[in-house]
Amino acid sequence: MYSFLLKLSVITGLFITVCAKSIREVGLHEEFLDERYYNTTEIANLLYKIEKQNPMIARVHEIGESSLGQSILAIEITSNIGQSRRILKPMFKYIANMHGDETVGLQLLLYLAQYLTSLYGSDDRVSRIVDTTDIFLMPTLNPDGYSASQEGDCNSQKGYAGRNNAKGVDLNRNFPQIDKKSFNMQQPETRAVIEWILNNPFVLSANFHGGAVVASYPFDKYYRNISQGGKTPDDALFRYLSIKYASKNPKMANGSACQEEHFKNGITNGAEWYELEGGMQDFNYIYSNCFEITIELTCCKFPSPSVLTKEWEYNRESLLTYMESVHMGIKGLVQDENNNPIPGATIHIVGINHTVKTTNRGEYWRLLLPGIYTISANAPGYNASVYRNILVKNDTLRSTTVNFTLHTLKQSSELIDVDTSNVVIDLSHWNVNVDFGMAKSNGTVAVIHKATQGIRNIDSCYRTRRIAAEKEGLLWGAYHFGTNTNGVIQANHFLNQVGNTSATLLVLNVEPYKNNIMTQKQVEDFIKTVQNITNNFVMIYASYNTLKNYSTPFLLKTPLWIALYNTQLKLPPGWDKWVLWQYTDGKKGLWPHGVNGVGLCDRDKFNGSIDKLRAFW
Ligand SMILES: *[C@@H]1O[C@H](CO)[C@@H](O)[C@H](O)[C@H]1NC(C)=O
Ligand SMILES: *[C@@H]1O[C@H](CO)[C@@H](O)[C@H](O)[C@H]1NC(C)=O
Ligand SMILES: *[C@@H]1O[C@H](CO)[C@@H](O)[C@H](O)[C@H]1NC(C)=O
Ligand SMILES: *[C@@H]1O[C@H](CO)[C@@H](O)[C@H](O)[C@H]1NC(C)=O
Ligand SMILES: *[C@@H]1O[C@H](CO)[C@@H](O)[C@H](O)[C@H]1NC(C)=O
Ligand SMILES: *[C@@H]1O[C@H](CO)[C@@H](O)[C@H](O)[C@H]1NC(C)=O
Ligand SMILES: *[C@@H]1O[C@H](CO)[C@@H](O)[C@H](O)[C@H]1NC(C)=O
Ligand SMILES: *[C@@H]1O[C@H](CO)[C@@H](O)[C@H](O)[C@H]1NC(C)=O
Ligand SMILES: *[C@@H]1O[C@H](CO)[C@@H](O)[C@H](O)[C@H]1NC(C)=O
Ligand SMILES: *[C@@H]1O[C@H](CO)[C@@H](O)[C@H](O)[C@H]1NC(C)=O
Ligand SMILES: *[C@@H]1O[C@H](CO)[C@@H](O)[C@H](O)[C@H]1NC(C)=O
Ligand SMILES: *[C@@H]1O[C@H](CO)[C@@H](O)[C@H](O)[C@H]1NC(C)=O
């Protein structure tokens, strides 16, 4: 009897498993719906478990740390996760719990992560979403606040403990804004998410809160000079996106879920509801290409966990529909006539005063309502390109593709008379047996030497050669070989090695190293930091092709030292001035390929006479 029962239960167990799977496949029953809140340890464990179980479509990212050192995690869900993002696949994000005591969104994102990963491959809609979208879910941006919050607290505690981070700061008042441009005052949580937003081309986003039931859209403030009545130039689109979310959630669509307030269609403009400054959704719109709205989920901020299943039911369709909206409008590539991507090109829609910019790979995404548009792409150094009568269909599953080819404007190309009268050479420890006396008598006027690389490395010859060169009365310069790490730290490392900078030309060398290269931001951070500390200008050194990726307004104004081993000098789009031209690396390019006392080496031409060179230095 005993063994028979056991057998039966095994068989029944099997049967139930099979059965449950087929029910789950049609999305009616979700095994992951345990009605309780996960603490921050459990959240991390769950996210890593999802990653482990779905290595092809899920990956956990730590985007920063909270004030108390807890990890701020996001899980990425998309097909082909191990590879770099497929070109033109849009990035989407959901962020919850930036107010640590507003907790329902946190659990919903944990459910959503499990829903997407468990149904991928069996449910057509989920598979399509995961295949076409690079999704990021961040259950909590404020783990410290969450840990300090109390289950059952419908309103914030005294002093906003739990709502705020551990330093007592409300993170949704902590973002830089249009008339408060400081990027230095932020909390660690805010800084982490700002870097994340600025360094990734997110297209669409929502941010979950509690204490009301409504979808609220930018602006959150009446910026008197750029908006009328708190409206963004994309007001109609934001209203549409908000209604998309609200209309699928019966409680939100009703508009009167919480007693004291009524929201028509379950949506509101942020500023119209109540004004706030330093919010995340305004930051997204003002400083990035991303469109974000704020979703308030429950009247009670930290309700009993018994509401969680119901809240998942109310929000599941909204969550999916809103993610699908990332495909509204147009997307495409902006390239030059040789099919090279143009980073930082601006996409302008006639009639909407809000532009988006292309990524390093030349991609852009522009969310738009169905309609007919005139669209232009612009980049410094290129002829603008305009398309008229672009039809955007009412199809949120597929964007309209509009690619642009921009033609390079006439270059300032000039034949340079390469004389040896103003010899500038640049060296590093790779050049051995250096005799500056001989180099000087062969016409050398100035030497630029490698000082440092990355955040640790120093050039072993820098100091001794500096002394030797100064003894010969040669002008001296120092360059830093930048790597793909923090620009401020690199700047300080460089200055430590260079020491007294007053008679030294300072250069940042931007070139690939181990398949990596500094980002635009790292380059700017480096230069600005050195300038700030030394009060001297910094020159940027890079090849013609590399420079094309760094045509930011700031860098276009930076003194240029260009490497181009060509018979003619040609400047990349955007740059109209050069100071130094490295015309040979000792092997390629114009002659001569070296100098007495050094042998084959990098030689550089200064734009001007020796007197001008001395004056410039
Ligand atoms: C989180 O929950 C787990 C499991 O319930 C428990 O063992 C752990 O102590 C909790 N951690 C914290 C920091 O509360
Ligand atoms: C808006 O006005 C503020 C203060 O009047 C000013 O600081 C800011 O630069 C203005 N912004 C724009 C975009 O004009
Ligand atoms: C919203 O819900 C309340 C209470 O359930 C109901 O009385 C009211 O008619 C609903 N309003 C709308 C606009 O559906
Ligand atoms: C477009 O917006 C910018 C600020 O973002 C503002 O300075 C400019 O005046 C606006 N242009 C028009 C035509 O409204
Ligand atoms: C797109 O079509 C859907 C369904 O036909 C409709 O509900 C929606 O309002 C349309 N959207 C726009 C912006 O016209
Ligand atoms: C735009 O470029 C992408 C990427 O090269 C390509 O897949 C797509 O077919 C192009 N679309 C059009 C309309 O030319
Ligand atoms: C740039 O556009 C202008 C005006 O449309 C045109 O005359 C010129 O030939 C274009 N230049 C290039 C390089 O395409
Ligand atoms: C410098 O050296 C080159 C050979 O490398 C020689 O042709 C040239 O005449 C020398 N110039 C001077 C000024 O010594
Ligand atoms: C730095 O160098 C300049 C020029 O060589 C010199 O005049 C100055 O005294 C030096 N400053 C220090 C602090 O050594
Ligand atoms: C440079 O210094 C100014 C004034 O001291 C400061 O406002 C700015 O933030 C500094 N910039 C950098 C990149 O350190
Ligand atoms: C410019 O950026 C693109 C995209 O990141 C990269 O593929 C390309 O290699 C870069 N070009 C140079 C010369 O660094
Ligand atoms: C060369 O230098 C002169 C100043 O000496 C400047 O006017 C000119 O614009 C520079 N040429 C280029 C192409 O940078």
Side-chain angles (χ1 to χ4, degrees):
M1 196 65 186
Y2 175 75
S3 90
F4 170 75
L5 258 183
L6 191 67
K7 231 181 196 152
L8 186 67
S9 70
V10 168
I11 292 166
T12 326
L14 269 177
F15 178 72
I16 287 170
T17 315
V18 171
C19 224
K21 186 152 191 274
S22 70
I23 290 169
R24 206 183 59 181
E25 273 166 9
V26 295
L28 294 176
H29 178 253
E30 281 121 18
E31 291 169 347
F32 48 78
L33 285 176
D34 43 356
E35 284 203 315
R36 66 186 189 84
Y37 291 102
Y38 282 47
N39 65 29
T40 54
T41 315
E42 293 172 300
I43 293 170
N45 290 344
L46 176 62
L47 296 183
Y48 283 109
K49 188 178 111 193
I50 295 171
E51 175 187 71
K52 197 152 172 235
Q53 290 175 343
N54 304 276
M56 308 301 285
I57 56 164
R59 186 164 53 185
V60 180
H61 299 266
E62 178 172 349
I63 72 130
E65 276 188 3
S66 68
S67 310
L68 299 182
Q70 298 203 68
S71 296
I72 298 172
L73 301 176
I75 187 163
E76 178 183 9
I77 298 174
T78 192
S79 53
N80 302 324
I81 195 115
Q83 298 155 27
S84 60
R85 184 175 50 74
R86 197 180 70 225
I87 196 98
L88 290 172
K89 193 190 244 191
M91 288 178 65
F92 177 94
K93 65 181 155 67
Y94 276 139
I95 296 182
N97 194 236
M98 71 190 296
H99 289 151
D101 60 356
E102 299 169 16
T103 55
V104 173
L106 181 159
Q107 277 307 128
L108 291 187
L109 293 191
L110 295 181
Y111 297 153
L112 181 62
Q114 294 171 89
Y115 181 82
L116 294 174
T117 51
S118 64
L119 289 191
Y120 179 70
S122 59
D123 178 278
D124 287 347
R125 184 182 190 195
V126 167
S127 302
R128 191 187 59 233
I129 291 174
V130 173
D131 282 337
T132 58
T133 319
D134 196 5
I135 303 156
F136 291 80
L137 309 177
M138 181 187 286
T140 173
L141 173 54
N142 184 3
D144 299 343
Y146 178 49
S147 299
S149 299
Q150 285 302 317
E151 193 170 301
D153 273 357
C154 285
N155 298 304
S156 286
Q157 295 178 27
K158 236 175 114 208
Y160 295 110
R163 173 190 178 89
N164 296 342
N165 76 348
K167 295 271 158 58
V169 175
D170 185 334
L171 300 180
N172 207 27
R173 307 290 184 274
N174 193 229
F175 285 79
Q177 303 281 266
I178 198 93
D179 29 22
K180 195 177 84 177
K181 270 208 168 161
S182 160
F183 274 75
N184 300 321
M185 311 286 288
Q186 277 69 40
Q187 295 296 306
E189 296 86 355
T190 320
R191 277 206 307 271
V193 82
I194 286 175
E195 290 254 325
W196 196 46
I197 291 167
L198 296 181
N199 291 330
N200 291 287
F202 290 109
V203 178
L204 181 64
S205 167
N207 160 28
F208 293 98
H209 285 250
V213 180
V214 66
S216 161
Y217 53 90
F219 287 124
D220 269 331
K221 184 172 152 61
Y222 295 115
Y223 300 99
R224 316 267 163 209
N225 41 7
I226 62 164
S227 72
Q228 290 177 346
K231 288 192 173 88
T232 66
D234 283 291
D235 193 60
L237 175 65
F238 272 121
R239 292 173 62 84
Y240 186 75
L241 289 168
S242 305
I243 283 183
K244 270 211 147 168
Y245 194 100
S247 64
K248 307 286 187 206
N249 176 328
K251 202 173 55 158
M252 200 174 288
N254 173 299
S256 302
C258 311
Q259 275 157 10
E260 58 280 10
E261 284 165 317
H262 180 77
F263 299 104
K264 186 152 182 271
N265 298 323
I267 70 168
T268 183
N269 169 268
E272 228 166 81
W273 183 19
Y274 66 95
E275 236 189 310
L276 67 89
E277 184 164 351
M280 186 159 71
Q281 65 179 7
D282 289 4
F283 175 83
N284 272 273
Y285 189 72
I286 294 168
Y287 287 104
S288 83
N289 291 339
C290 187
F291 286 57
E292 180 170 280
I293 67 171
T294 302
I295 309 283
E296 305 274 349
L297 290 166
T298 46
C299 308
C300 176
K301 293 185 174 186
F302 199 155
S304 144
S306 63
V307 309
L308 290 171
T309 301
K310 188 142 234 134
E311 285 302 324
W312 170 248
E313 292 304 324
Y314 284 149
N315 286 286
R316 186 185 56 215
E317 181 56 32
S318 297
L319 289 165
L320 299 175
T321 301
Y322 189 74
M323 278 196 279
E324 288 169 337
S325 307
V326 76
H327 302 290
M328 291 180 72
I330 56 169
K331 67 179 181 183
L333 295 181
V334 180
Q335 298 177 316
D336 68 13
E337 50 274 80
N338 302 317
N339 296 329
N340 294 316
I342 302 178
T346 306
I347 306 297
H348 179 69
I349 309 293
V350 171
I352 306 180
N353 186 14
H354 179 77
T355 56
V356 296
K357 286 210 156 78
T358 54
T359 65
N360 281 341
R361 299 202 278 176
E363 308 150 285
Y364 75 89
W365 297 263
R366 199 353 167 150
L367 299 177
L368 284 173
L369 288 171
I372 292 172
Y373 296 93
T374 297
I375 303 162
S376 69
N378 296 273
Y382 296 91
N383 245 11
S385 168
V386 182
Y387 284 109
R388 298 194 167 77
N389 297 325
I390 297 291
L391 171 67
V392 174
K393 286 194 271 203
N394 184 359
D395 176 0
T396 55
L397 301 185
R398 218 184 346 233
S399 337
T400 306
T401 306
V402 181
N403 297 332
F404 290 89
T405 302
L406 301 188
H407 292 277
T408 312
L409 289 174
K410 205 170 146 293
Q411 305 269 337
S412 51
S413 82
E414 38 183 306
L415 261 178
I416 308 270
D417 156 36
V418 180
D419 54 45
T420 47
S421 65
N422 77 48
V423 182
V424 180
I425 58 174
D426 62 275
L427 306 175
S428 74
H429 71 281
W430 291 109
N431 304 92
V432 287
N433 301 325
V434 170
D435 180 336
F436 284 128
M438 278 176 79
K440 186 183 179 189
S441 51
N442 196 220
T444 300
V445 177
V447 179
I448 305 173
H449 205 285
K450 180 172 173 182
T452 46
Q453 176 167 339
I455 57 173
R456 225 167 261 123
N457 202 309
I458 62 174
D459 187 290
S460 52
C461 297
Y462 178 82
R463 281 177 193 258
T464 47
R465 290 208 179 135
R466 175 176 186 159
I467 294 164
E470 278 173 353
K471 234 165 72 189
E472 295 294 340
L474 295 170
L475 295 172
W476 185 255
Y479 75 82
H480 173 79
F481 192 112
T483 61
N484 181 21
T485 51
N486 187 295
V488 176
I489 298 175
Q490 294 191 71
N492 283 297
H493 173 53
F494 174 60
L495 291 175
N496 278 342
Q497 174 67 358
V498 172
N500 184 351
T501 57
S502 64
T504 304
L505 182 78
L506 303 173
V507 182
L508 173 61
N509 175 347
V510 182
E511 76 179 80
Y513 174 69
K514 292 188 175 166
N515 289 327
N516 246 317
I517 194 159
M518 294 179 92
T519 63
Q520 289 179 353
K521 176 165 185 308
Q522 289 163 354
V523 170
E524 291 198 1
D525 283 352
F526 179 97
I527 293 175
K528 287 175 185 166
T529 306
V530 172
Q531 283 177 345
N532 248 19
I533 296 174
T534 65
N535 226 7
N536 284 347
F537 68 85
V538 177
M539 183 177 268
I540 182 169
Y541 164 95
S543 73
Y544 178 87
N545 281 328
T546 298
L547 284 166
K548 286 200 261 179
N549 282 358
Y550 295 87
S551 59
T552 67
F554 175 79
L555 294 173
L556 290 176
K557 290 203 214 92
T558 302
L560 175 63
W561 174 11
I562 181 170
L564 186 65
Y565 311 139
N566 226 336
T567 51
Q568 271 191 325
L569 178 59
K570 184 168 94 156
L571 295 181
W575 271 273
D576 56 2
K577 283 200 177 56
W578 62 278
V579 179
L580 282 171
W581 170 25
Q582 187 184 71
Y583 56 86
T584 179
D585 61 350
K587 295 190 225 43
K588 290 174 288 193
L590 289 169
W591 292 86
H593 283 181
V595 79
N596 293 346
V598 177
L600 299 180
C601 64
D602 297 347
R603 286 180 62 118
D604 310 279
K605 163 90 183 161
F606 177 76
N607 170 23
S609 64
I610 293 186
D611 288 346
K612 290 252 174 70
L613 169 62
R614 290 188 188 283
F616 168 79
W617 221 267

